[in-house]
Amino acid sequence: MPSRRDLANAIRALSMDAVQKAKSGHPGAPMGMADIAQVLWTDFLNHNPTNPEWANRDRFVLSNGHGSMLIYSLLHLSGYALPIEELAQFRQLHSKTPGHPEYGYTAGVETTTGPLGQGICNAVGMAIAEKTLAAQFNKPGHEIVDHYTYSFLGDGCLMEGVSHEACSLAGTLGLGKLVAFWDDNGISIDGEVEGWFTDDTPARFEAYGWHVIADVDGHDADAIAAAIAQAKAVTDKPTMICCKTIIGFGSPNKSGSHDCHGAPLGDEEIAAAREFLNWPHAPFEIPADVYAGWDAKEAGSSKEQEWNAKFDAYAAAFPAEAAEYKRRIAGDLPADFSAKADAFIQECQDKAENVASRKASQNSIEAFASILPEVIGGSADLAGSNLTLWSGAKGLTAEDASGNYIFYGVREFGMTAIMNGIGLHGGFRPYGATFLMFMEYARNALRMSALMGIPNIQVYTHDSIGQGEDGPTHQPIEQVANLRLTPNMDTWRPCDAAETATAWKFALERKDGPSSLVFSRQGLPAQARDAAQVKAIARGGYILKDTAGTPDVIIIATGSEVGISVEAAEQLATQGIAARVVSMPCTSVFDKQDADYKESVLPSSITKRVAVEAAHVDYWYKYVGFNGAIVGMSTFGESAPGGALLKHFGITADAVVEAAKGL
């Protein structure tokens, strides 16, 4: 039988060979963490390579994702559907081994990592999901939700501020089944980190409320195993295992140096490493006994079968709960959800209430969360302003995780990255909220949700200069365009309650990507619609107000500017100018409609067009052309009451009239 070190050396060999063949990559971290990975994956990790989607598997997150050959080696050696040919195509086009681990590309990769710090935040989200799902479904003697989340992370993850946001909350929530491993090798790209990173990391995590195991030799298998066992024995706190490692372990001349951090070792050094490690095998050659020592297929299948038997017993005792668990894990909505949602949308239309769209959003949450127990909400310390709380909201605590609401505190970036982990775990549909302006803090986590196609829901309120007295620091200008320009992100800016409810329905039914719902602080007038128009809201853009004949001009508007556009159309009519008003709450959804529908709403023959939005003007040229007019913003705002600002900056019906007449 091969020794533990032989098993770990297989990771080292595959990592240095793949990076060398690609002439690109990071061999240092995989070689340095190979011993830790070997102990965790062969002795502790519950997973099934033949079914990577097993619901009760342990989650493994490589937060220091630049060391991607570590996870690719682990997946290949353990028996996942990742053949050696894919490792030999590391970082090549269309391979299943991209430069950083990509969710959806490679079986067994739980999340896309690479932007440092976010992987550990995803892990926090996964651990929250596990704890909450267990609290909601487990019964005495029937623990069907019972798994761990493990995460590797490096100095870079700890330097990124987002790790502070998420790990602080993890301690507060007492996530006892979260275990993190710090690769304490003292090296980053620029060299020895003591020149710029001298934090007392163990003390920092103790202050967060974590269980900390310090000074573990990351190359001593027995010490690593003892630390993991100790971590699992502490059930009321997350654990940080601080592992002292040598980056590039096995490379005689480059280990312990930044020379092996982000560059191939070179043929000569790889030959020397093979001799040092007593690994006399050709590149990408793994001996049969080493494969046998790693193979987890049989053990993994057995563990899943044991869990299936437990679930069958649970289903016999609690059939309704078992069916609900399966529905939620599958990500399916109740069969009657769509009909109930449509009825609520029509109710909003019939009531014709003049309310701020943030209040209309709260009403939608009330209606939909009450019939969707998988909805788990939250706000970055702005629940009273974002209006994300509803009558059935119950906050999560360390002692009671059975609720459906997370008080994230002032942690916009951490909140959004944690939501990504919750969404990836399964069983929940998370939403989180802040002011639209502060989506900037969360920008990269938003991008990651779109990149991975996670159907999370972002609630952004106080959406324009109409926000008012807080001034330009709190008034978004370019943020809506930023969201719209993000591939795979649907951005809704509804004008009233019916559009708001439609946006929520669409976001909840979407499975292939995130939605950003952008709402006003100020009250908005309800718009009159017939049944066909109510249905057309879901197409992203539709004719809200039309003329008897061919329009002279088309006014395209969103959100709070739809109301003033309707006023402008009425004024234009008195002056003999026929104006069509198109409400476009979601440009990306409208753009996906068939050509005939888009032509019916925005006929190419009508080139006189005005776009109206209290946001940056540049986005709208794609709809009005360079000969059209845009009523919007090209500067930052000011501090004053919202109504005064809208008048000052010319976001008024009169301004829309003048723009149309100018055409």
Side-chain angles (χ1 to χ4, degrees):
M1 284 291 294
S3 67
R4 284 188 178 276
R5 181 53 57 82
D6 289 334
L7 298 179
N9 286 345
I11 296 173
R12 296 185 170 102
L14 289 172
S15 298
M16 62 186 184
D17 288 342
V19 171
Q20 184 66 29
K21 185 173 186 293
K23 296 183 173 57
S24 172
H26 300 75
M31 296 175 74
M33 297 194 80
D35 296 305
I36 307 168
Q38 185 273 320
V39 174
L40 175 64
W41 277 63
T42 61
D43 291 13
F44 292 93
L45 194 72
N46 286 321
H47 63 123
N48 182 6
T50 61
N51 181 17
E53 300 301 317
W54 172 32
N56 201 49
R57 68 192 181 278
D58 290 340
R59 270 61 170 180
F60 175 78
V61 175
L62 184 69
S63 188
N64 45 345
H66 55 273
S68 57
M69 270 310 302
L70 175 60
I71 193 169
Y72 297 148
S73 299
L74 288 165
L75 294 171
H76 169 71
L77 292 167
S78 297
Y80 284 78
L82 190 66
I84 194 70
E85 291 79 12
E86 291 289 348
L87 274 65
Q89 289 301 305
F90 179 55
R91 289 190 165 219
Q92 305 308 301
L93 184 64
H94 302 314
S95 77
K96 292 183 179 180
T97 51
H100 291 82
E102 299 278 357
Y103 175 73
Y105 280 60
T106 315
V109 170
E110 300 282 4
T111 179
T112 299
T113 54
L116 293 177
Q118 288 194 62
I120 182 61
C121 299
N122 297 164
V124 170
M126 292 174 187
I128 289 173
E130 190 277 339
K131 184 171 184 175
T132 303
L133 205 65
Q136 292 179 355
F137 282 96
N138 286 355
K139 304 292 183 182
H142 296 275
E143 294 188 350
I144 59 164
V145 181
D146 180 19
H147 54 266
Y148 282 80
T149 301
Y150 298 101
S151 180
F152 285 4
L153 67 159
D155 291 321
C157 294
L158 294 172
M159 283 187 259
E160 289 287 0
V162 70
S163 68
H164 158 76
E165 296 182 28
C167 293
S168 168
L169 185 60
T172 299
L173 293 178
L175 302 179
K177 289 185 177 176
L178 172 63
V179 180
F181 298 79
W182 170 32
D183 181 26
D184 180 14
N185 60 41
I187 298 294
S188 66
I189 291 176
D190 284 350
E192 297 182 5
V193 300
E194 64 184 12
W196 47 86
F197 183 55
T198 57
D199 298 13
D200 186 341
T201 296
R204 169 183 165 187
F205 276 81
E206 286 176 354
Y208 291 155
W210 285 52
H211 170 224
V212 176
I213 305 174
D215 297 320
V216 175
D217 184 345
H219 303 296
D220 182 337
D222 292 337
I224 297 163
I228 298 173
Q230 182 184 342
K232 295 184 71 172
V234 176
T235 60
D236 61 344
K237 296 179 179 181
T239 295
M240 170 63 80
I241 302 176
C242 305
C243 300
K244 292 285 186 180
T245 65
I246 299 172
I247 190 171
F249 183 94
S251 170
N253 302 301
K254 294 187 177 182
S255 64
S257 163
H258 69 281
D259 290 340
C260 66
H261 183 285
L265 296 180
D267 292 331
E268 184 176 334
E269 184 64 13
I270 288 176
R274 276 185 154 76
E275 183 175 353
F276 178 87
L277 295 171
N278 191 26
W279 188 265
H281 311 293
F284 301 105
E285 180 184 316
I286 305 295
D289 62 339
V290 172
Y291 271 130
W294 271 107
D295 190 359
K297 294 193 293 295
E298 183 177 344
S301 295
S302 177
K303 289 172 183 176
E304 183 175 355
Q305 288 170 13
E306 290 175 12
W307 181 83
N308 288 340
K310 288 183 179 180
F311 188 83
D312 289 343
Y314 176 84
F318 307 98
E321 289 86 347
E324 180 70 358
Y325 173 85
K326 291 173 70 174
R327 179 189 71 79
R328 285 175 55 173
I329 290 296
D332 296 330
L333 295 176
D336 60 352
F337 172 75
S338 184
K340 287 183 176 179
D342 287 342
F344 176 71
I345 294 167
Q346 188 59 53
E347 179 183 331
C348 292
Q349 182 64 44
D350 295 340
K351 282 185 177 179
E353 290 182 310
N354 297 340
V355 296
S357 53
R358 63 171 174 161
K359 178 59 180 176
S361 171
Q362 186 181 45
N363 294 341
S364 296
I365 295 171
E366 184 77 38
F368 296 151
S370 63
I371 58 176
L372 296 176
E374 59 264 47
V375 169
I376 184 167
S379 175
D381 204 48
L382 287 169
S385 295
N386 300 147
L387 302 185
T388 48
L389 287 169
W390 60 288
S391 64
K394 177 184 175 183
L396 270 59
T397 67
E399 298 74 25
D400 183 3
S402 64
N404 57 9
Y405 195 87
I406 302 170
F407 291 92
Y408 283 103
V410 188
R411 300 180 175 101
E412 296 89 352
F413 193 2
M415 171 183 70
T416 310
I418 287 169
M419 285 171 58
N420 287 346
I422 295 173
L424 288 165
H425 178 279
F428 293 98
R429 289 300 305 275
Y431 69 86
T434 185
F435 288 174
L436 176 58
M437 184 64 242
F438 301 126
M439 79 86 180
E440 295 286 0
Y441 283 135
R443 182 73 188 93
N444 199 264
L446 282 171
R447 185 176 188 272
M448 296 303 290
S449 66
L451 183 67
M452 289 188 273
I454 309 170
N456 291 347
I457 300 172
Q458 318 295 334
V459 174
Y460 295 124
T461 67
H462 297 58
D463 68 345
S464 74
I465 56 171
Q467 199 271 95
E469 293 85 347
D470 281 337
T473 62
H474 283 52
Q475 294 164 5
I477 302 297
E478 71 275 27
Q479 283 65 41
V480 176
N482 191 325
L483 289 168
R484 288 179 180 140
L485 290 171
T486 303
N488 203 35
M489 173 74 73
D490 283 341
T491 302
W492 292 81
R493 188 168 182 254
C495 75
D496 65 2
E499 285 194 358
T500 297
T502 302
W504 266 104
K505 181 197 176 198
F506 197 101
L508 287 165
E509 290 183 333
R510 190 178 183 202
K511 288 190 173 185
D512 60 352
S515 299
S516 291
L517 312 184
V518 179
F519 301 124
S520 72
R521 176 196 185 193
Q522 69 271 33
L524 304 178
Q527 298 298 326
R529 298 178 186 84
D530 59 27
Q533 289 173 310
V534 172
K535 185 177 181 180
I537 296 171
R539 304 192 77 162
Y542 64 101
I543 300 169
L544 177 64
K545 181 179 176 59
D546 211 0
T547 62
T550 302
D552 297 313
V553 63
I554 296 176
I555 304 171
I556 310 167
T558 80
S560 50
E561 287 67 67
V562 170
I564 65 171
S565 296
V566 171
E567 290 181 36
E570 293 169 350
Q571 291 184 37
L572 288 167
T574 66
Q575 300 176 42
I577 299 173
R580 168 183 291 180
V581 177
V582 171
S583 178
M584 195 175 289
C586 187
T587 57
S588 59
V589 171
F590 177 77
D591 289 346
K592 292 174 186 174
Q593 302 303 309
D594 62 82
D596 289 344
Y597 177 77
K598 288 187 286 188
E599 178 68 16
S600 72
V601 176
L602 298 176
S604 54
S605 59
I606 303 175
T607 58
K608 293 181 173 61
R609 301 180 183 182
V610 181
V612 190
E613 186 174 57
H616 203 288
V617 298
D618 281 2
Y619 180 82
W620 288 100
Y621 286 111
K622 66 182 286 188
Y623 296 106
V624 303
F626 290 110
N627 294 321
I630 304 171
V631 176
M633 298 291 296
S634 57
T635 67
F636 295 116
E638 295 285 351
S639 179
L645 290 173
L646 292 167
K647 184 175 181 180
H648 173 75
F649 286 103
I651 314 294
T652 63
D654 289 342
V656 178
V657 168
E658 291 306 310
K661 290 170 66 175
L663 295 176

